Amino acid sequence: MNSIDRRSALRAGVGAAAAGALATGCTDDRPAPAPPTAPAPPSRGPRPAPAPAPRRYPGQPAEITHGPRDRDRVALTFHGQGDPAIAEAVLAEAERAGARITVLVVGDWLDQHPGLARRILDGGHDLGNHTQRHLGISSMSQTDAYAEITDCAERLRRLTGSIGSWFRPSRTQYATPLVAELAQRAGYPHVLSYDVDSLDFTSPGAAAVAGNVSRQIQRGSVVSLHFGYADTVAALPGLLDDLDRRRLRAVTTTELLT
């Protein structure tokens, strides 16, 4: 399938349905022997494994902008908010190409779409924290900034069993010293920045998004992209094809640094 066909296919929506089970019981007024052992509840399958927790990477700075330059790997990182159908399309296209991505989610987006946390993890991707409300964290008081980090962390913990693999500050490429300190206090040894900005949030068109990345990317790069923008979805097939031609493998940030 060529890139045009793939882009057309990505416009199609996907849906899912869930069903539950109802257990009922009855009582009997007649005397009876000791009650039998209660039957085991219906199996609901194995519980999902907790999401990976943050880890420390010796030799890496507190704020990571890129990975090793001597390996043919890059990390595509996505700020997680916006239309969930676009998020699903990005995930589907990445998985079609055998790519793994890193998604830094906004907490109030998870409040609206909690199922996407497990969807991201089940696809083999990294899941991290991009603050609770996606406000300008650099200009906040210490109390408010810490709440932005920990509120999102608590939602991730409730949904996945972990505060997520990474923290990225909102509305800034680099963390202030205070924000980096607060992130460490919240349990994130490293702040995740990037060295390639796609500028997809400016909606410049799919060709411009792909071109912005192509001109800057190199071994070890961490690329900033976003859910929620149609240009990003349209650019992704060509971008992944370009990485393949360059023999650059798109991996999670955890894999990039391991």
Side-chain angles (χ1 to χ4, degrees):
M1 179 183 294
N2 60 36
S3 296
I4 294 175
D5 292 336
R6 283 196 298 269
R7 289 197 292 268
S8 297
L10 285 171
R11 297 193 184 101
V14 294
L22 176 65
T24 60
C26 61
T27 60
D28 191 334
D29 292 334
R30 295 173 298 173
T37 303
S43 173
R44 296 183 180 179
R47 295 182 61 141
R55 56 184 290 185
R56 187 176 298 280
Y57 294 88
Q60 289 288 346
E63 184 164 60
I64 293 171
T65 58
H66 62 82
R69 297 299 194 188
D70 60 352
R71 290 186 286 177
D72 296 328
R73 297 180 178 182
V74 296
L76 305 181
T77 68
F78 289 80
H79 301 218
Q81 61 178 156
D83 185 346
I86 294 181
E88 290 279 7
V90 169
L91 293 167
E93 178 59 22
E95 291 158 12
R96 179 207 64 78
R100 297 291 176 262
I101 65 176
T102 300
V103 183
L104 296 313
V105 291
V106 177
D108 61 10
W109 185 71
L110 279 186
D111 290 340
Q112 300 172 58
H113 313 291
L116 280 171
R118 182 52 56 183
R119 165 69 183 89
I120 291 163
L121 290 172
D122 288 348
H125 312 290
D126 269 357
L127 181 65
N129 179 332
H130 194 37
T131 74
Q132 176 59 24
R133 296 175 295 165
H134 201 257
L135 303 177
I137 195 169
S138 298
S139 60
M140 290 182 179
S141 69
Q142 177 173 324
T143 299
D144 289 346
Y146 189 61
E148 281 293 306
I149 299 169
T150 56
D151 285 357
C152 184
E154 180 53 38
R155 281 155 176 79
L156 286 166
R157 190 197 307 276
R158 186 176 68 244
L159 291 169
T160 71
S162 164
I163 64 172
S165 301
W166 299 98
F167 168 73
R168 174 172 288 170
S170 49
R171 297 189 181 275
T172 179
Q173 183 173 358
Y174 302 109
T176 64
L178 173 61
V179 170
E181 177 185 338
L182 295 176
Q184 289 189 348
R185 187 191 305 175
Y188 300 96
H190 302 278
V191 172
L192 181 60
S193 184
Y194 48 90
D195 65 328
V196 176
D197 192 347
S198 69
L199 298 176
D200 59 346
F201 62 92
T202 66
S203 298
V209 171
N212 288 339
V213 176
S214 180
R215 284 190 295 272
Q216 302 174 69
I217 201 166
Q218 57 182 302
R219 287 177 170 181
S221 282
V222 176
V223 183
S224 172
L225 295 147
H226 294 75
F227 285 171
Y229 293 90
D231 287 350
T232 309
V233 179
L236 198 53
L239 173 56
L240 292 170
D241 287 346
D242 182 57
L243 294 181
D244 188 57
R245 284 192 296 271
R246 297 185 187 203
R247 301 185 183 277
L248 292 174
R249 182 180 170 212
V251 299
T252 65
T253 308
T254 298
E255 293 173 300
L256 183 73
L257 297 170
T258 299

